[in-house]
Structure formats: structure tokens, C-alpha cells
Amino acid sequence: MIPASSFGLGCWQVYRLQWKLELIDIMQAKSNAQPKEMPQNIEELNDMEYMPVKVRGKFIHDKEFLIGPRALIENGSTSARFGSLVSDPKTNQGWLVVTPFKLTNGETILVNRGWIPQSMRPKEKRQSSMIDTEIELVGVVRLTEKRAPFMPKNHPEKGSWFYRDLEQMSLHVGSIPVWLDARGLPDPPVGWPIPNQTKVTLRNEHFSYLVTWYTLSAFTALMWHRYFIRKLPLL
């Protein structure tokens, strides 16, 4: 039974690998699509995750908060920066700057303006990026995020945010539960958050799984043949 069952599990992982690759392609295609206007009915955003939308309004900087620590995301995945071959936690661990954004229709949403290193956490070091005029921006729609196992809970009263809970965050700042990851220049001016912090890759270890199951199937089939088939009496 072991050779047959492990072979079947290997075939299942082949199917899962194809499914995961197709899902990643869909996510990347959505994020690279042309920006659309923000729908008036926010319920439509539930079917628009990873799609870029255009909005116009003003930031409310006095209600800004940070979420993290988070690794810097480049080209859709976490990676090292400043030319390092191996990600340096001290360099690549930082915070996401989340700022309420009041739309021209009067509603307020949440905008992840981008990533900052630990050294840029004080607001005084980011004054140049705190524009107070009406602007148009493009952001990628993100839905609420489930708390991972062993991740601390958010504590709004302490200003501690670890994961994207849209209901909790919107109640805290007085916005609607809508979140956009801001798009922008990958190398912004000094003092500005680094935008484009949308992770469009998924954990994909199905190839290693299928290799494991097929190897186990082949090895146990060889053992079965060697110790059982060869010992059968000749008829």
C-alpha cells in the first residue's frame, strides 16, 4: 500500500503545483492591470483584491499609524535591499505607514503609503513626505488579513498594530473598511515611505512535496520487489 499511496500523493501534488502557479499568475495579472475608478459600492471591492484603483483626496496625517515590524517588499516579494545578497533583518525590517485618506466624496479610506526603516519611525524625519494638498493616487485593493498563529493581537490603545484588521482599524480612525497599497516610484525621495508594498507571491512548496512522495514511492516499490516478489515460488 505504501508505494501506491505515496505515488497517488505525488500525483496530487502535481495538481496542487499547477493550481498554485495559475493562482499566482492570476494575482500578478490583476495587480498589473490598468487602474480603475474606485467603485461607489465598496462591496464590489470584495471581488477586486490585488486590482489597482484610482482615488482622489487628501491625507489625514495626524491619524497616521504604523503596522509591523514588516520586511521590505520589492518586485512583489520580500527581498534584500542596498545590494545585499542575504536579507539583513536590521536593514530590511521596518514599518508600514498607514494614513487615512479623505476622498472627494467625503468618505475616508486607509492607505498604506509604504515601508520605512526603523530609523525613519519618528514623524519629524518624514515631514517632507506629509503633503497636505489634494492629490490623485493609484493603490492596490487589499482585503482584511487573518491573524497568523502565534502573532500578537493588535492593541490600538497602545498604537501596536501587527496585522491588517480592516474592521478594527477603520473603527479606530473613523474610516470605512477599505485599504489600498499605494503605488509609486520604487526609489522615492529621502524621507518618503517606499511604496509598492503588495506581496503578489504565495508560498509554493508543492514541487518539493511531489519529489518527496515520488521518491518514497519508488524506494518502497523497490523494497517491495526485492523482498517479496523475488521470494515468490516459481509456478
Side-chain angles (χ1 to χ4, degrees):
M1 291 181 62
I2 295 177
S5 59
S6 56
F7 181 82
L9 289 170
C11 294
W12 169 246
Q13 289 301 326
V14 171
Y15 167 78
R16 293 283 292 175
L17 175 63
Q18 294 173 342
W19 168 79
K20 185 63 69 70
L21 293 175
E22 290 176 359
L23 186 59
I24 293 173
D25 288 341
I26 291 173
M27 290 169 55
Q28 292 177 339
K30 283 184 175 181
S31 64
N32 293 327
Q34 288 296 319
K36 296 184 177 181
E37 296 292 338
M38 171 77 81
Q40 293 184 354
N41 183 3
I42 65 170
E43 295 297 326
E44 296 179 25
L45 294 175
N46 292 328
D47 299 320
M48 295 176 63
E49 187 167 25
Y50 295 105
M51 295 186 67
V53 297
K54 293 187 293 185
V55 292
R56 190 170 189 84
K58 295 176 63 175
F59 283 113
I60 308 175
H61 293 289
D62 59 345
K63 292 187 176 182
E64 166 194 292
F65 60 92
L66 305 179
I67 180 172
R70 292 291 179 96
L72 173 65
I73 294 175
E74 291 187 299
N75 300 320
S77 61
T78 54
S79 63
R81 194 170 173 84
F82 311 121
S84 59
L85 296 178
V86 179
S87 178
D88 180 359
K90 294 182 180 179
T91 300
N92 296 288
Q93 288 294 322
W95 305 85
L96 298 179
V97 180
V98 182
T99 309
F101 188 79
K102 189 172 184 179
L103 305 175
T104 52
N105 64 4
E107 292 183 324
T108 301
I109 64 173
L110 298 170
V111 174
N112 168 19
R113 297 179 60 213
W115 180 92
I116 57 171
Q118 179 68 26
S119 60
M120 297 294 295
R121 194 171 180 180
K123 274 189 174 183
E124 309 82 65
K125 297 185 177 181
R126 296 182 280 109
Q127 286 296 325
S128 60
S129 71
M130 295 183 179
I131 50 178
D132 57 3
T133 56
E134 185 176 292
I135 62 168
E136 181 177 272
L137 66 81
V138 174
V140 176
V141 176
R142 299 305 311 275
L143 302 181
T144 198
E145 182 179 39
K146 291 184 179 180
R147 185 168 70 94
F150 308 112
M151 178 178 285
K153 293 183 178 180
N154 292 330
H155 293 285
E157 70 283 358
K158 298 179 181 179
S160 298
W161 299 93
F162 299 97
Y163 62 99
R164 189 177 60 248
D165 186 329
L166 297 191
E167 291 295 334
Q168 188 180 38
M169 291 175 170
S170 60
L171 286 173
H172 181 68
V173 301
S175 70
I176 58 175
V178 174
W179 174 295
L180 300 181
D181 285 340
R183 279 187 170 181
L185 296 174
D187 290 306
V190 176
W192 286 62
I194 299 173
N196 311 315
Q197 296 301 298
T198 306
K199 188 175 181 179
V200 291
T201 60
L202 297 173
R203 182 181 178 183
N204 187 5
E205 298 182 0
H206 296 294
F207 182 77
S208 62
Y209 295 157
L210 71 88
V211 170
T212 299
W213 286 120
Y214 280 147
T215 301
L216 178 62
S217 177
F219 181 72
T220 53
L222 180 62
M223 291 179 60
W224 182 67
H225 178 272
R226 181 173 181 179
Y227 292 101
F228 293 97
I229 298 297
R230 292 175 59 181
K231 292 182 179 181
L232 290 176
L234 295 177
L235 299 178

